[in-house]
Each structure stands twice: as structure tokens, then as C-alpha cells.
Amino acid sequence: MQEGALPLGGAARSSSGYKVCLPSSRRQCRTVLTDAAPPAMIRPVPTPYAYNYGVSAGVTNFGQSEKGNGYGGVNGGYWVNLPDGRVQKVSYWADGSGYHPVVTYSGKAHYPASYGYGHGGGYH
């Protein structure tokens, strides 16, 4: 690179504006003048998202919700009705350091006699 030359994507302030080095068709740098200061770095546009859903079909009940900030961070949770009558809930967050769940249960477990537990049921 010549003295005073700009690296590809580089910029320098001059008396007549900013000199910006843009790529040319020959993979070389072509210097242009502009009045506006160029961005220091081109970053991808973040794409945040959010969703939720739930299913209720007889004894089958579950759902989930999640939000992502577009930079890799995620917060969410899901729940499911368990066969023993309890509800399992998982809240979580995830980022560059990993997945971090918190599991909780609500309700009291109960087992119908037809499951084979207690008096009057069982396998023979």
C-alpha cells in the first residue's frame, strides 16, 4: 500500500470532505470524496423475534413462548401438563455463555387407581 493510501473500506478526513476507499472491479481501492462521514463499521441488522403457542387437546396441554433480541440473547419458557396432574414449567435464558433453565412444578401429584398404584389396581 502506498503512503497516504487508504485500506479497503477505510476513510480519512480531508479539507474537501471524507476520502473513502471503495472496492473497484479490479479488486483495488478507488478513492471517492463525500460530504458525509462514513460508518466506522458495517454491522448486520439485528433481527429480533418473538413467538408463542399453546395446545389444548383433552389431557394433552402444553405451550411455549420465546423472545430473541437479535444479538444472540434469548428469553423464554415452556410448560406441559404431566400425567400425574402437575404442571412442569421451564423458564430459560440463553446467550453466548450457554442455556440456563429454571425448572419448577406446580400442583400435587395424584395417581388414579387405574394406573396400578395403591389399592385395587396393579399388574398381576
Side-chain angles (χ1 to χ4, degrees), residues 27-95:
R27 294 183 185 231
Q28 296 175 345
C29 188
R30 129 179 109 85
T31 304
V32 296
L33 289 175
T34 178
D35 293 334
M41 185 171 91
I42 298 173
R43 295 182 182 165
V45 176
T47 48
Y49 67 91
Y51 71 87
N52 64 43
Y53 67 89
V55 174
S56 179
V59 295
T60 304
N61 296 299
F62 59 91
Q64 181 175 7
S65 65
E66 184 174 284
K67 290 182 181 183
N69 64 10
Y71 296 100
V74 175
N75 289 309
Y78 55 91
W79 59 272
V80 62
N81 284 6
L82 298 173
D84 64 9
R86 297 177 297 160
V87 177
Q88 179 184 15
K89 296 178 183 177
V90 179
S91 299
Y92 60 87
W93 60 276
D95 59 11

Side-chain angles (χ1 to χ4, degrees), residues 7-24:
L8 186 61
R13 178 119 170 101
S14 71
S15 59
S16 56
Y18 288 91
K19 286 184 180 177
V20 180
C21 184
L22 300 174
S24 70

